[in-house]
Amino acid sequence: MPLSPHLPPEDMMHQIPDRNELLMILRRANQNAWIWISIRLVGILVLIYLINWNAVVLSPIASVTACLVIIGPLAMELAQLWGQKKKRIEDIKESTRFGDLDKHKLKFLYQETLKRLDLPAVGPPVYVSNDRSLNASAVRLTSFLTGLNGIYLHRQILHKLRDEEVQSVMGHELGHYYRFRLVDDRLMFLTVVLGAFVGLFAVQVIRLDGLLGFIVLSAICSVFWMIMNHRRYKYGMTTEFLCDDFGAQVNGVEYSISGLLKIGLDAEIRTLVYLEVLGRNLDQPDLSPKEIASSIESAVPFGYEDESDLYESVGREIQAKRQQNSRLSIRGFFRYVWESDDLDDEEALRETLERQAREINQIERVEWESVLDDPSEIRLSTRQAEELVMMIEQNPGKSLFRVPRSAAYSDGIHPPIEQRILYLWKNRDHSSSLEL
């Protein structure tokens, strides 16, 4: 059975799968993919028959609006990906550096990763996006959308992780790109066509105009995407485990685990700083909640060293924004009023902050830094990785990081970091190959 993220931590610790088990789950899912592909094809053919195409021609605005409402979420996601600030490795300036890395070293690391994983020498393009979170992604689309295909590394990854850890991240994303994905995900154009036809048919059936019609159509949109994404969520954790495993083949599980610890620590620091700074400034009349949140996000420095470094940077940004608004005098006050949306929104934000603060205070944290030779440098040896694993296993009800569970696993796809570490350690010497 596919793994579920909706379990308490102590139960998740007992769900450490075997590599063969996960490979079998994904093989079976792809063998059954023809059923879901057939459902899409049949749905398209049925809707072609049912839709009144004369009405589509006579009411083009309503028809186009209906299509856009249904396929809007996907279109927005692709538009954001297309429009984000990014550069291919080859297009990065010679003078640009990411900590100790430059474009040539980064390209060398990528080529070495492809070679060690026995992948084609000419891999997908690698983009560096100007993102301040420790994250990365892989995109592999079909048809006219292939221009977006590639591996996307957030710039913060290159500043915060060592070379071997960066390669682990590259390997993880290459696993998504080449090996561990659902077959039906590759046929996204079928989903887009089906979504457009659902929108056309819905607007003809509900026969509602104005706000009520839009609300009903939006509800249909939500149901449609919930159904279309069902398999993605069902098998998401399976693919994430396997991609972690694939990335660990580059340099070993010690580097992968070290990278995961850095990613978790970054999430913990950013969460604590965000909650404290936002809570402290929420009552200030010269800053709206939106301005506070955007200031915090833009203030995160690339390659920041520790929590105090981040606090200092955020403090400077908040102060600069406050001084800017104070110069606007009465205009600043009115902008605060209008950008705050309304008092209900601000009260809802306050309740969210209080709820997350209570959740954080209830988290029992494993003091995993004690396994490090130097607490300021996360660089695990085999012995230290084994000690870390023992600490996690001996404290099933505790977490490595003080991050609200609702925020840490909100996507329903990525397993908890504790579980990912235990999986890597359990399968580090597995005899079977990572082949579907």
Side-chain angles (χ1 to χ4, degrees):
M1 289 291 292
L3 299 168
S4 171
H6 307 296
L7 293 171
E10 55 269 27
D11 290 341
M12 282 187 167
M13 295 305 105
H14 298 293
Q15 283 203 35
I16 307 305
D18 180 81
R19 178 190 294 175
N20 280 339
E21 177 188 349
L22 296 183
L23 290 171
M24 184 61 68
I25 289 173
L26 201 53
R27 286 192 195 106
R28 192 179 300 118
N30 282 333
Q31 288 168 359
N32 296 332
W34 67 270
I35 298 174
W36 293 92
I37 295 171
S38 299
I39 290 174
R40 287 175 170 84
L41 289 172
V42 170
I44 290 172
L45 293 175
V46 170
L47 288 171
I48 288 176
Y49 175 77
L50 294 176
I51 291 172
N52 183 342
W53 294 101
N54 289 329
V56 172
V57 174
L58 294 174
S59 304
I61 295 179
S63 301
V64 171
T65 301
C67 291
L68 291 177
V69 169
I70 297 293
I71 66 175
L74 176 61
M76 286 295 295
E77 184 178 341
L78 295 177
Q80 289 174 355
L81 184 63
W82 183 274
Q84 73 176 175
K85 190 175 181 180
K86 60 185 183 297
K87 283 191 176 181
R88 288 187 61 165
I89 293 179
E90 295 79 4
D91 299 330
I92 295 173
K93 293 180 180 179
E94 294 286 343
S95 58
T96 301
R97 300 192 66 83
F98 314 102
D100 295 329
L101 293 174
D102 59 17
K103 61 182 291 186
H104 301 293
K105 182 65 178 294
L106 190 56
K107 190 171 183 178
F108 171 78
L109 292 177
Y110 182 49
Q111 293 299 324
E112 278 294 301
T113 301
L114 292 169
K115 182 178 179 181
R116 294 184 187 183
L117 295 175
D118 197 25
L119 296 173
V122 181
V126 176
Y127 297 91
V128 177
S129 65
N130 200 38
D131 198 299
R132 298 172 187 272
S133 62
L134 275 180
N135 209 344
S137 61
V139 176
R140 188 172 186 177
L141 305 174
T142 55
S143 189
F144 60 92
L145 298 170
T146 54
L148 293 174
N149 288 353
I151 307 300
Y152 292 76
L153 301 176
H154 292 187
R155 182 170 178 171
Q156 191 73 280
I157 284 276
L158 307 181
H159 285 272
K160 297 280 284 183
L161 302 190
R162 287 181 294 145
D163 295 355
E164 296 88 351
E165 295 158 0
V166 171
Q167 287 183 298
S168 295
V169 173
M170 290 177 173
H172 177 105
E173 300 307 333
L174 287 167
H176 282 299
Y177 193 90
Y178 281 113
R179 295 277 178 91
F180 309 113
R181 57 202 307 254
L182 295 171
V183 171
D184 37 323
D185 278 353
R186 303 180 186 183
L187 302 175
M188 186 181 292
F189 69 93
L190 288 180
T191 304
V192 173
V193 172
L194 179 60
F197 285 177
V198 167
L200 291 175
F201 183 66
V203 79
Q204 293 178 6
V205 170
I206 60 180
R207 299 180 181 278
L208 295 174
D209 297 323
L211 180 60
L212 182 58
F214 182 80
I215 292 174
V216 173
L217 195 59
S218 298
I220 294 172
C221 171
S222 297
V223 173
F224 172 79
W225 285 110
M226 182 178 66
I227 295 172
M228 290 298 103
N229 287 326
H230 169 70
R231 278 166 56 83
R232 178 170 175 260
Y233 289 110
K234 183 177 181 180
Y235 297 105
M237 292 182 68
T238 298
T239 59
E240 288 301 322
F241 277 128
L242 289 171
C243 288
D244 278 347
D245 205 345
F246 198 59
Q249 304 306 306
V250 184
N251 293 305
V253 297
E254 295 84 0
Y255 292 107
S256 293
I257 292 174
S258 296
L260 287 172
L261 288 176
K262 291 181 179 179
I263 290 171
L265 185 60
D266 175 76
E268 179 182 64
I269 292 174
R270 287 164 65 98
T271 298
L272 295 177
V273 170
Y274 181 85
L275 290 177
E276 181 171 336
V277 173
L278 189 58
R280 189 193 308 153
N281 290 275
L282 197 57
D283 292 325
Q284 301 298 320
D286 52 351
L287 288 176
S288 72
K290 287 182 180 179
E291 286 179 316
I292 297 170
S294 64
S295 295
I296 295 172
E297 185 61 31
S298 62
V300 177
F302 290 115
Y304 69 90
E305 294 294 332
D306 51 31
E307 191 171 341
S308 61
D309 190 15
L310 182 55
Y311 266 121
E312 183 179 346
S313 178
V314 169
R316 287 196 300 268
E317 183 69 22
I318 292 289
Q319 185 61 29
K321 177 62 69 173
R322 180 171 286 118
Q323 290 176 352
Q324 177 185 351
N325 285 355
S326 67
R327 297 191 194 101
L328 298 175
S329 186
I330 192 67
R331 285 179 59 192
F333 172 76
F334 280 114
R335 185 167 64 184
Y336 165 80
V337 172
W338 290 111
E339 290 189 355
S340 294
D341 294 326
D342 55 46
L343 293 178
D344 290 336
D345 286 345
E346 188 166 323
E347 188 60 33
L349 177 58
R350 192 185 308 279
E351 291 176 0
T352 299
L353 292 176
E354 292 175 353
R355 175 177 52 78
Q356 292 191 341
R358 287 195 301 270
E359 190 175 346
I360 286 176
N361 289 333
Q362 293 172 356
I363 294 175
E364 293 186 81
R365 189 182 190 276
V366 176
E367 298 304 321
W368 56 267
E369 290 90 345
S370 62
V371 307
L372 303 175
D373 294 328
D374 180 357
S376 65
E377 184 177 14
I378 301 175
R379 186 192 296 261
L380 294 184
S381 64
T382 302
R383 175 186 58 80
Q384 291 169 327
E386 185 174 14
E387 290 179 7
L388 175 67
V389 168
M390 291 177 61
M391 292 179 72
I392 297 173
E393 291 176 336
Q394 292 169 0
N395 297 275
K398 296 184 179 181
S399 301
L400 293 178
F401 307 101
R402 297 179 67 198
V403 177
R405 181 175 170 77
S406 58
Y409 319 123
S410 59
D411 64 356
I413 292 175
H414 290 83
I417 286 181
E418 296 87 351
Q419 206 177 9
R420 295 169 72 177
I421 291 173
L422 293 181
Y423 170 82
L424 287 172
W425 188 255
K426 174 181 177 179
N427 293 276
R428 66 191 185 283
D429 297 321
H430 209 290
S431 57
S432 64
S433 62
L434 277 164
E435 298 282 350
L436 286 179

